[in-house]
């Protein structure tokens, strides 16, 4: 953050010079690597996030439902009466003690892959992630489309991970980059920017944009975000030479007014 103080100097001819002095903050205001106490604006809390499956393409026997705090979409008919395949999203409520500048988890996406009858798998499914700031800040929504490739469990396995030619893996892909993946807001008199980074696996640092999931297995990825503090712009202070120039102009104006007064 910036610390400011202002002063005003009034000189002859009614010329007023206002100078705003700005002392720059550290490069990373909320870096906790040192031993000092972080400013209060570096830690935030929000109501939290939630998800909603809003649509799909292809597939049969498709249902959306909630279970245990998770939002599901499932499809198909399970082989021999077994479980269906599904996606789920679990938000985080509440979001507490979020440190500005550091990545944090917004929710968990899971692909549950089971053996289903051919021709009943979805081609894609649409997820809306809602971010509830709380207070008087408008909630924001972000859209993701997950593209699904349901492989037949026979013949050539396109995504064969374990050599099993009977239970072939399926593939899920998505795009992390969002056109509306940033949002500015004000909290406690400070300005911030929410950035939606994308999905990554637990323990990884990079983002992922696909899953290869074997049958009867589940794949997880965490939707990550980051809060950035928007630092107020600095206000330039006039150079000493400029101040001298203004003083000289003001002095000339004052002398001219005095001479004119003496002539009247």
């Amino acid at each position: 953050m910036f610390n400011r103080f202002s002063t005003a100097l009034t000189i002859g001819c009614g010329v007023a010079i206002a100078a705003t002095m700005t002392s720059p903050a550290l490069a990373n205001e909320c870096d906790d690597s040192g031993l000092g106490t972080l400013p209060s604006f570096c830690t935030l809390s929000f109501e939290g996030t939630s998800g909603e499956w809003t649509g799909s393409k292809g597939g049969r026997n498709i249902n959306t439902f909630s279970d245990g705090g998770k939002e599901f979409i499932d499809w198909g008919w399970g082989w021999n009466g077994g479980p269906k395949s599904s996606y789920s999203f679990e938000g985080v409520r509440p979001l507490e003690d979020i440190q500005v500048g550091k990545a944090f988890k917004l929710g968990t996406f899971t692909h549950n892959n089971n053996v289903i009858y051919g021709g009943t798998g979805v081609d894609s499914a649409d997820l809306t992630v809602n971010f509830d700031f709380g207070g008087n800040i408008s909630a924001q929504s972000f859209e993701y489309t997950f593209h699904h490739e349901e492989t037949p469990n026979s013949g050539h396995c396109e995504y064969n991970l374990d050599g099993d030619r009977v239970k072939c893996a399926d593939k899920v892909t998505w795009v992390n980059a969002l056109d509306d993946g940033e949002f500015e807001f004000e909290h406690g008199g400070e300005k911030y920017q929410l950035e939606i980074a994308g999905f990554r696996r637990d323990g990884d640092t990079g983002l992922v944009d696909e899953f290869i999931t074997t049958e009867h297995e589940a794949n997880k990825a965490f939707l990550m975000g980051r809060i950035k503090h928007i630092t107020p712009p600095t206000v330039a202070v006039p150079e000493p030479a400029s101040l001298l120039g203004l003083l000289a102009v003001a002095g000339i104006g004052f002398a001219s007014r005095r001479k004119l007064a003496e002539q009247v």
Side-chain angles (χ1 to χ4, degrees):
M1 196 176 181
F2 287 84
N3 301 315
R4 290 189 174 88
F5 64 90
S6 298
T7 183
L9 172 65
T10 302
I11 59 178
C13 206
V15 178
I17 303 173
T20 300
M21 307 294 291
T22 305
S23 58
L26 297 175
N28 186 352
E29 302 162 295
C30 297
D31 183 3
D32 63 353
S33 59
L35 301 178
T37 302
L38 290 176
S40 59
F41 62 76
C42 288
T43 304
L44 302 174
S45 295
F46 307 102
E47 290 292 325
T49 59
S50 61
E52 180 183 7
W53 296 101
T54 56
S56 61
K57 292 182 178 179
R60 301 180 67 183
N61 192 27
I62 299 169
N63 296 285
T64 58
F65 59 94
S66 301
D67 185 22
K70 300 178 182 179
E71 297 298 319
F72 284 85
I73 181 170
D74 66 8
W75 57 85
W77 280 282
W79 182 259
N80 288 333
K84 302 162 67 175
S85 290
S86 66
Y87 295 153
S88 72
F89 183 82
E90 182 178 13
V92 179
R93 300 184 73 86
L95 282 166
E96 295 183 311
D97 300 327
I98 302 302
Q99 185 172 325
V100 173
K102 288 195 172 184
F104 64 96
K105 185 170 72 173
L106 293 166
T108 304
F109 166 72
T110 304
H111 172 212
N112 301 290
N113 192 17
N114 292 299
V115 180
I116 61 175
Y117 284 95
T120 65
V122 294
D123 297 322
S124 65
D126 301 320
L127 172 69
T128 297
V129 178
N130 303 304
F131 193 111
D132 187 358
F133 293 88
N136 58 359
I137 305 174
S138 299
Q140 295 296 306
S141 297
F142 305 93
E143 310 286 337
Y144 285 94
T145 297
F146 295 88
H147 300 279
H148 191 85
E149 187 175 347
E150 191 84 37
T151 60
N153 292 315
S154 62
H156 173 68
C157 286
E158 185 71 22
Y159 311 110
N160 185 20
L161 299 180
D162 55 10
D164 192 337
R165 294 287 180 178
V166 177
K167 300 175 182 178
C168 296
D170 297 338
K171 184 177 182 179
V172 187
T173 58
W174 61 88
V175 176
N176 280 309
L178 297 176
D179 293 336
D180 57 351
E182 296 181 352
F183 172 71
E184 291 186 4
F185 63 97
E186 189 169 326
H187 187 280
E190 299 288 338
K191 290 185 177 181
Y192 300 90
Q193 183 181 68
L194 167 65
E195 295 180 341
I196 306 297
F199 290 87
R200 78 181 186 196
R201 293 179 183 271
D202 189 19
D204 289 349
T205 56
L207 299 178
V208 294
D209 57 10
E210 70 176 32
F211 279 157
I212 304 291
T213 311
T214 58
E215 297 289 1
H216 302 301
E217 298 290 339
N219 252 329
K220 292 185 178 181
F222 303 123
L223 179 60
M224 306 301 295
R226 181 183 293 108
I227 302 290
K228 295 176 67 177
H229 181 240
I230 300 177
T231 307
T234 61
V235 178
V237 178
E239 294 290 335
S242 300
L243 287 173
L244 289 175
L246 287 172
L247 288 171
V249 171
I252 293 171
F254 179 76
S256 299
R257 273 182 27 179
R258 182 176 179 180
K259 183 176 182 179
L260 180 59
E262 290 173 350
Q263 292 175 351
V264 175

